[in-house]
Amino acid sequence: MLRPILRNAGIAPSRLWSVLSGWRRYAAERAEFRRLAGEGGMPWGRETPMLTEWNESSGGLGGYFFQDLTVARWIYEANPIRHVDVGSRIDGFIGHLTVFREVEVLDIRPQPLRVPNVCFHRLDLMADLSDEWIGCTDSLSCLHTIEHFGLGRYGDALDPDGHLKGLAQLKRMVKTGGVFYLSTPVGHERVEFNANRVFAPTTVLGWFADGWQIEKSAVVDDVNQLHESAEDVIVRDFRGNLGVGIVAARKMG
């Protein structure tokens, strides 16, 4: 249990060697920079050593990045009348949507800051929905959220079936003919308490077997490659331990 505790505290033992090596380079380059600057130039402010970024890529293009970009594009192309989101990242996916439309965001967590083009509602999707949210929208998204329901991570009640109860509530929110955009971790099915669940790709597809038609799907595999194709893409192009499965399903009746 020590490793997760250290990780939560922001301590990564595997990075220690890189930091120590980086400190030597930092000290040498700092001395050289000061020599080159001499007595002139800008005033010397508070030092903030960056010790590990010399050989890193220009940006971390992981599962969240490709998920957010893909679903935002799908919604842009669909141009729904109303779009409601449950629990997705405001500083990622929702930010993409607000560039071209208004979004209503529901989350169990508070959001004290106002964001342009976002109407925020604090709501627990594991509780009974009020009438105003039943059949309320022709477009609904819930990205990388369903796997957390019932694990208590965000202050929600503990419930081993929380994801199923949340899924049922989400489906009730979509009008007949509307589209539900869902993403979740996929791989060997398991609970990683209290972080998240991981679902088998066939489980995700099975959620939409009755009364729904999957119109788009995509998967981000173990090495952060995006595959986007027909409805079996999640099963066909993913055989790894942990990826992201994404579907756009239309409610038929």
Side-chain angles (χ1 to χ4, degrees):
M1 292 294 290
L2 180 59
R3 186 177 296 274
I5 292 171
L6 292 175
R7 185 179 67 246
N8 275 271
I11 301 170
S14 62
R15 289 174 60 87
L16 180 59
W17 177 251
S18 296
V19 169
L20 293 175
S21 299
W23 181 260
R24 294 182 60 187
R25 178 169 176 173
Y26 168 80
E29 292 188 352
R30 176 184 182 278
E32 176 64 6
F33 184 86
R34 297 209 69 157
R35 184 189 70 78
L36 292 170
E39 297 300 322
M42 296 177 65
W44 198 264
R46 179 175 64 92
E47 297 186 44
T48 55
M50 299 295 159
L51 306 176
T52 63
E53 297 182 0
W54 285 286
N55 298 312
E56 293 182 359
S57 71
S58 61
L61 306 186
Y64 275 116
F65 173 82
F66 288 110
Q67 161 203 274
D68 294 351
L69 206 61
T70 298
V71 181
R73 172 169 50 83
W74 289 350
I75 294 170
Y76 174 79
E77 293 169 350
N79 191 26
I81 297 171
R82 179 184 189 184
H83 186 77
V84 177
D85 178 84
V86 176
S88 305
R89 289 178 58 188
I90 291 182
D91 60 340
F93 172 65
I94 300 302
H96 294 338
L97 295 187
T98 61
V99 173
F100 59 87
R101 67 167 304 117
E102 293 183 349
V103 188
E104 294 181 62
V105 174
L106 281 58
D107 203 303
I108 193 173
R109 300 164 293 183
Q111 178 48 252
L113 299 179
R114 293 178 61 88
V115 180
N117 266 354
V118 171
C119 180
F120 182 82
H121 308 269
R122 193 172 183 186
L123 195 68
D124 183 356
L125 263 289
M126 289 175 59
D128 289 337
L129 288 175
S130 61
D131 291 344
E132 67 177 304
W133 296 111
I134 298 173
C136 67
T137 183
D138 61 323
S139 183
L140 176 74
S141 56
C142 184
L143 306 188
H144 245 297
T145 301
I146 195 69
E147 68 271 16
H148 302 300
F149 283 31
L151 296 183
R153 176 175 173 178
Y154 297 113
D156 48 317
L158 295 176
D159 189 336
D161 293 325
H163 61 294
L164 297 176
K165 293 177 180 178
L167 181 66
Q169 297 279 63
L170 290 164
K171 288 179 174 180
R172 294 176 69 201
M173 295 176 67
V174 183
K175 294 179 178 179
T176 299
V179 179
F180 180 13
Y181 302 90
L182 177 77
S183 79
T184 189
V186 293
H188 307 299
E189 197 153 284
R190 60 197 185 270
V191 176
E192 298 177 340
F193 189 82
N194 66 348
N196 54 262
R197 300 173 181 84
V198 179
F199 301 103
T202 51
T203 296
V204 177
L205 296 183
W207 289 341
F208 300 99
D210 297 323
W212 296 79
Q213 178 180 331
I214 295 177
E215 297 190 338
K216 298 178 185 289
S217 71
V219 66
V220 183
D221 64 21
D222 279 37
V223 292
N224 291 325
Q225 293 296 308
L226 174 69
H227 307 269
E228 184 180 350
S229 185
E231 78 171 66
D232 65 347
V233 67
I234 297 175
V235 175
R236 187 191 68 216
D237 288 338
F238 185 72
R239 297 289 187 274
N241 184 57
L242 183 62
V244 182
I246 311 165
V247 298
R250 188 173 300 277
K251 190 172 187 177
M252 306 306 293

